[in-house]
């Protein structure tokens, strides 16, 4: 009988932040093994920061506004974030929390003051935005992030089970689950990790 697998094609897409991987990492070894395989093609694509037009598309779709109406706001956001998609998202979230980007339910429109947005000082890029976001957390939620940061960018559930008894009144699992809901950490079957290294730094 013919082998149904023979001749089949597999297409795999993976992403990684280059500043988190060096030539000595397990991932680098794995990629080298793949490149040495017969009949396997590996294509590297470097993703650059968004252009002002790209940021405008992102904001236009987020606000459900035409690009003509969001172009000026997008220019300001691009200037503040340098087009980093993660920074753009966090900056927009920060604007809504600070009521600098507000949706009017009666008018069904978004309102913003570009002069106030432009005047906001972000001395250390998105790190300052994330710091403000972290300061809005409760004491227990912040303690959960601090504890996670002690292990680096990620920690296994097995290790968490070992340190759980030393957390006092803090229910570390429930705390980390909440932090996952607000997109500060991610949970897989075996570990928790920060969604971005900038959160760990902040």
């Amino acid at each position: 009988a013919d082998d149904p697998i023979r001749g089949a094609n597999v297409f795999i897409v993976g992403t990684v932040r280059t500043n988190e991987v060096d030539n000595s990492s397990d991932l680098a070894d794995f990629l080298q093994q793949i490149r040495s395989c017969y009949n396997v093609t590996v294509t590297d694509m470097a993703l650059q920061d968004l252009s002002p037009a790209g940021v405008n598309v992102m904001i236009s779709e987020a606000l459900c506004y035409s690009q003509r109406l969001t172009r000026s706001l997008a220019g300001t956001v691009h200037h503040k974030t340098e087009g980093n998609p993660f920074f753009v998202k966090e900056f927009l979230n920060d604007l809504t929390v600070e009521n600098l980007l507000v949706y009017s339910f009666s008018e069904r429109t978004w309102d913003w003051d570009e002069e106030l947005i432009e005047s906001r000082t972000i001395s250390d890029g998105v790190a300052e935005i994330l710091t403000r976001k972290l300061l809005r957390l409760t004491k227990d939620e912040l303690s959960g992030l601090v504890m996670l940061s002690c292990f680096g960018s990620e920690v296994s559930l097995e290790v968490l089970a070992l340190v759980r008894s030393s957390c006092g009144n803090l229910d570390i699992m429930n705390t980390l689950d909440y932090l996952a809901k607000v997109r500060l950490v991610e949970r897989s079957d075996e570990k928790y990790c920060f969604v971005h290294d900038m959160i760990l730094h902040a």
Side-chain angles (χ1 to χ4, degrees):
D2 293 336
D3 186 351
I5 302 299
R6 187 181 301 277
N9 296 317
V10 178
F11 181 66
I12 300 174
V13 178
T15 62
V16 64
R17 288 189 289 272
T18 54
N19 65 309
E20 296 181 0
V21 178
D22 56 36
N23 292 331
S24 63
S25 68
D26 292 337
L27 178 60
D29 292 339
F30 176 68
L31 291 176
Q32 185 57 43
Q33 291 177 29
I34 292 178
R35 288 188 174 93
S36 64
C37 290
Y38 172 72
N39 207 24
V40 173
T41 301
V42 178
T43 302
D44 293 326
M45 297 178 63
L47 301 182
Q48 306 300 323
D49 291 333
L50 297 176
S51 65
V55 171
N56 192 28
V57 170
M58 186 175 178
I59 294 178
S60 171
E61 293 184 356
L63 302 186
C64 296
Y65 262 25
S66 71
Q67 294 180 34
R68 176 180 59 84
L69 296 176
T70 58
R71 186 171 293 112
S72 181
L73 173 62
T76 301
V77 173
H78 182 271
H79 173 70
K80 293 289 186 181
T81 63
E82 299 183 348
N84 183 301
F86 178 74
F87 296 179
V88 171
K89 181 178 73 71
E90 290 299 327
F91 187 61
L92 290 176
N93 286 340
D94 190 61
L95 293 180
T96 58
V97 170
E98 298 294 331
N99 291 321
L100 294 177
L101 178 61
V102 181
Y103 183 73
S104 171
F105 287 95
S106 59
E107 300 293 334
R108 295 185 179 181
T109 60
W110 285 94
D111 296 319
W112 61 83
D113 187 323
E114 288 181 27
E115 289 188 3
L116 284 177
I117 295 173
E118 183 65 49
S119 67
R120 289 179 69 79
T121 302
I122 305 180
S123 59
D124 194 21
V126 79
E128 184 174 328
I129 298 174
L130 292 174
T131 298
R132 289 201 296 264
K133 185 175 183 178
L134 298 184
L135 291 176
R136 299 186 191 111
L137 298 175
T138 66
K139 181 179 179 181
D140 283 351
E141 292 160 1
L142 193 56
S143 295
L145 281 182
V146 170
M147 189 227 53
L148 178 57
S149 70
C150 292
F151 296 97
S153 60
E154 63 182 44
V155 61
S156 68
L157 297 180
E158 182 179 2
V159 171
L160 282 176
L162 294 174
V163 301
R164 191 173 186 176
S165 60
S166 64
C167 294
N169 294 326
L170 176 63
D171 189 336
I172 188 61
M173 296 301 190
N174 283 341
T175 298
L176 291 177
D177 283 342
Y178 170 79
L179 294 172
K181 289 181 180 179
V182 297
R183 301 296 298 155
L184 288 171
V185 303
E186 289 180 341
R187 176 176 178 171
S188 67
D189 293 336
E190 299 179 353
K191 66 183 179 181
Y192 284 94
C193 62
F194 287 99
V195 298
H196 197 282
D197 56 349
M198 288 296 295
I199 298 175
L200 172 60
H201 297 159

